[in-house]
Short mmCIF file of all heavy atoms in Angstrom, two decimals:
data_model
loop_
_atom_site.label_atom_id
_atom_site.label_comp_id
_atom_site.label_asym_id
_atom_site.label_seq_id
_atom_site.Cartn_x
_atom_site.Cartn_y
_atom_site.Cartn_z
N SER L 71 -27.59 -18.74 32.85
CA SER L 71 -28.91 -18.81 33.49
C SER L 71 -29.39 -20.24 33.52
O SER L 71 -29.06 -21.05 32.67
CB SER L 71 -29.91 -17.93 32.72
OG SER L 71 -30.04 -18.40 31.40
N SER L 72 -30.16 -20.59 34.54
CA SER L 72 -30.70 -21.94 34.70
C SER L 72 -32.20 -21.89 34.49
O SER L 72 -32.87 -20.93 34.84
CB SER L 72 -30.39 -22.49 36.10
OG SER L 72 -30.93 -21.62 37.08
N GLU L 73 -32.77 -22.97 33.96
CA GLU L 73 -34.19 -23.03 33.67
C GLU L 73 -34.94 -23.53 34.90
O GLU L 73 -34.47 -24.36 35.67
CB GLU L 73 -34.45 -23.97 32.49
CG GLU L 73 -33.79 -23.50 31.20
CD GLU L 73 -34.07 -24.45 30.06
OE1 GLU L 73 -34.74 -25.46 30.34
OE2 GLU L 73 -33.63 -24.17 28.94
N VAL L 74 -36.16 -22.98 35.09
CA VAL L 74 -37.03 -23.36 36.19
C VAL L 74 -38.27 -24.03 35.63
O VAL L 74 -38.88 -23.53 34.67
CB VAL L 74 -37.43 -22.12 37.03
CG1 VAL L 74 -38.33 -22.52 38.18
CG2 VAL L 74 -36.18 -21.44 37.55
N ASN L 75 -38.72 -25.16 36.24
CA ASN L 75 -39.86 -25.92 35.76
C ASN L 75 -41.14 -25.18 36.13
O ASN L 75 -41.45 -25.00 37.31
CB ASN L 75 -39.84 -27.32 36.38
CG ASN L 75 -40.92 -28.20 35.80
OD1 ASN L 75 -41.55 -27.85 34.81
ND2 ASN L 75 -41.14 -29.35 36.43
N THR L 76 -41.85 -24.73 35.12
CA THR L 76 -43.13 -24.02 35.35
C THR L 76 -44.31 -24.78 34.76
O THR L 76 -45.39 -24.21 34.59
CB THR L 76 -43.05 -22.62 34.74
OG1 THR L 76 -42.76 -22.74 33.36
CG2 THR L 76 -41.96 -21.78 35.41
N ASP L 77 -44.14 -26.05 34.43
CA ASP L 77 -45.25 -26.83 33.88
C ASP L 77 -46.29 -27.13 34.96
O ASP L 77 -45.97 -27.23 36.16
CB ASP L 77 -44.75 -28.14 33.27
CG ASP L 77 -43.85 -27.86 32.08
OD1 ASP L 77 -43.96 -26.75 31.52
OD2 ASP L 77 -43.03 -28.74 31.75
N VAL L 78 -47.51 -27.30 34.54
CA VAL L 78 -48.62 -27.62 35.46
C VAL L 78 -48.85 -29.12 35.44
O VAL L 78 -49.00 -29.72 34.38
CB VAL L 78 -49.91 -26.87 35.06
CG1 VAL L 78 -51.04 -27.22 35.98
CG2 VAL L 78 -49.65 -25.38 35.07
N ASN L 79 -48.89 -29.74 36.63
CA ASN L 79 -49.08 -31.18 36.76
C ASN L 79 -50.53 -31.48 37.10
O ASN L 79 -51.09 -30.90 38.03
CB ASN L 79 -48.15 -31.72 37.85
CG ASN L 79 -48.19 -33.24 37.91
OD1 ASN L 79 -48.68 -33.87 36.99
ND2 ASN L 79 -47.67 -33.80 39.00
N MET L 80 -51.13 -32.37 36.36
CA MET L 80 -52.53 -32.74 36.58
C MET L 80 -52.55 -34.07 37.31
O MET L 80 -51.89 -35.02 36.91
CB MET L 80 -53.26 -32.87 35.24
CG MET L 80 -53.10 -31.65 34.34
SD MET L 80 -53.70 -30.13 35.08
CE MET L 80 -55.44 -30.56 35.22
N ALA L 81 -53.29 -34.12 38.39
CA ALA L 81 -53.32 -35.36 39.19
C ALA L 81 -54.76 -35.66 39.63
O ALA L 81 -55.45 -34.79 40.16
CB ALA L 81 -52.43 -35.23 40.42
N ASP L 82 -55.18 -36.91 39.43
CA ASP L 82 -56.44 -37.47 39.93
C ASP L 82 -57.67 -36.74 39.42
O ASP L 82 -58.77 -36.90 39.95
CB ASP L 82 -56.49 -37.45 41.47
CG ASP L 82 -55.37 -38.31 42.05
OD1 ASP L 82 -54.96 -39.25 41.35
OD2 ASP L 82 -54.90 -38.00 43.15
N GLY L 83 -57.53 -35.88 38.49
CA GLY L 83 -58.67 -35.16 37.93
C GLY L 83 -59.26 -34.16 38.87
O GLY L 83 -60.37 -33.70 38.65
N ASN L 84 -58.61 -33.83 39.99
CA ASN L 84 -59.14 -32.89 40.96
C ASN L 84 -58.56 -31.49 40.79
O ASN L 84 -58.62 -30.68 41.70
CB ASN L 84 -58.84 -33.37 42.38
CG ASN L 84 -59.54 -34.69 42.68
OD1 ASN L 84 -60.65 -34.91 42.19
ND2 ASN L 84 -58.90 -35.56 43.45
N GLY L 85 -57.99 -31.18 39.69
CA GLY L 85 -57.41 -29.86 39.47
C GLY L 85 -55.92 -29.91 39.57
O GLY L 85 -55.31 -30.93 39.93
N PRO L 86 -55.32 -28.84 39.29
CA PRO L 86 -53.85 -28.79 39.33
C PRO L 86 -53.32 -28.90 40.73
O PRO L 86 -53.87 -28.34 41.67
CB PRO L 86 -53.54 -27.43 38.70
CG PRO L 86 -54.76 -26.61 38.94
CD PRO L 86 -55.92 -27.54 38.91
N VAL L 87 -52.28 -29.67 40.86
CA VAL L 87 -51.60 -29.85 42.14
C VAL L 87 -50.18 -29.35 41.97
O VAL L 87 -49.44 -29.84 41.11
CB VAL L 87 -51.60 -31.32 42.59
CG1 VAL L 87 -50.84 -31.48 43.89
CG2 VAL L 87 -53.02 -31.82 42.72
N ALA L 88 -49.79 -28.35 42.74
CA ALA L 88 -48.46 -27.77 42.62
C ALA L 88 -47.42 -28.68 43.22
O ALA L 88 -47.67 -29.34 44.23
CB ALA L 88 -48.42 -26.40 43.29
N ASP L 89 -46.27 -28.74 42.62
CA ASP L 89 -45.17 -29.54 43.14
C ASP L 89 -44.42 -28.83 44.25
O ASP L 89 -43.42 -29.33 44.74
CB ASP L 89 -44.18 -29.87 42.02
CG ASP L 89 -44.82 -30.80 41.00
OD1 ASP L 89 -45.79 -31.48 41.37
OD2 ASP L 89 -44.36 -30.81 39.84
#
Side-chain angles (χ1 to χ4, degrees):
S71 61
S72 58
E73 298 180 358
V74 180
N75 186 11
T76 58
D77 295 339
V78 179
N79 187 14
M80 308 301 296
D82 299 332
N84 296 326
V87 178
D89 293 338

